[in-house]
Amino acid sequence: MTTPIRFELIKTCRQTGARLGILHTPHGSFETPMFMPVGTLATVKTLSPEELKEMGAGVILSNTYHLWLRPGHDIVEEAGGLHAFMNWDRGILTDSGGFQVFSLSEFRRIEEEGVYFRNHLNGDKLFLSPEKAVEIQNALGADIIMAFDECPPYPATYEYMKQSIERTSRWAERCLKAHRRPNEQGLFGIVQGGEYEELRRQSARDLVSLDFPGYAVGGLSVGEPKEVMNRVLEFTTPLLPADKPRYLMGVGSPDSLIDGAIRGIDMFDCVLPTRIGRNGTVMTSEGRVVIKNAQYARDFSPLDPNCDCYTCRNYTRAYIRHLIKCDETFGIRLTSYHNVYFLIKLMEQVRQAIREDRLADFREEFFECYGFNKP
Ligand SMILES: O=c1[nH]cnc2cc3nc(NCCN4CCOCC4)[nH]c3cc12
């Protein structure tokens, strides 16, 4: 079988063990570590494909659960798939919907065959199974699709977690069997196990034995402290094949991206940049700026003095504060553009630091500047 997804390891940072790589997909090849902007409903909110391209986005996410409900995967398939539907000719990854079921729907019942829950929009009864999740993703046509898994809440007992990962491993096998387009869409397995090393080992062993073209570390960024995430990554990423891509789901903030790359992660996604952008919070090289604050009313400097993005080259904090205060749509376009650009450029700096074998030094400098080290 010709796998449509191939990871090329370029080098490993001598200071940290972080990896510089290239992710080859049917819609282009993209350097890693990479940040993938999230476009849940087939749009990275407020941004056009041209804007995403000019800032250097390579792979973007869309979501199986949401697109299944609206507009329906049949309509997207009829449009020629997600790339045609949303006019995006680079990489697309779809999450499998399991996480949304657990995070959006209160009433749900997990059985061996799948999950029974309610449509979060109208309360209708719904059922998602490994087979259904793969069928929807085959119709959507993303380059990378995710196995249907259970992402247990944090914290979860060892006993609960053990039976959950064993079911997730059985579901992963069912996803492989149900996958109709293995030569065009790479199916990634998702390692679970919470904070329990033994269960992470068992989950990784099960999934690696199924030989997926790539692996996600799931079950993180669900409310656990950052130290727990970092510890779990330290003993989980080494269990995954070095020649396959490693994807940390739902992460994240600038410090988590750097710390994840140091621990061997190649791919990240998070709604953070557009989510906080919509309420007027921006990430800058000197820490977060909440633009509505009165202190910016007469501040005619850019959001970030060290940023060369479209927003920072053309508009001031005072102007953007005015737009956000007046609920002008252009305001959240400018903050969203800057935030996505900021994380994409941060990963460029991380890749350059890996090339120069100095990612630990870069982490020190960035954390100092951003204020993470401040008490
Ligand atoms: O195990 C998982 N399996 C499949 N999809 C996931 C998606 C996930 N997304 C997060 N975290 C997202 C946290 N966001 C941070 C910003 O605010 C919104 C939530 N954790 C995740 C875990 C999984």
Side-chain angles (χ1 to χ4, degrees), residues 95-96 99 149 151 190 192 218-222 249-250 270-272 275:
D95 191 354
S96 56
F99 183 78
D149 64 333
C151 172
I190 305 178
Q192 293 290 351
L220 291 175
S221 189
V222 287
M249 306 185 86
C270 195
V271 295
L272 202 66
R275 169 99 35 112

Side-chain angles (χ1 to χ4, degrees), residues 27 44 61 116 121 124 127 165 196 217 230 232 289 345 353:
H27 283 88
V44 178
L61 262 76
Y116 298 87
L121 300 168
D124 285 358
F127 173 70
I165 65 144
Y196 305 106
V217 179
N230 286 336
V232 170
V289 166
K345 293 304 168 191

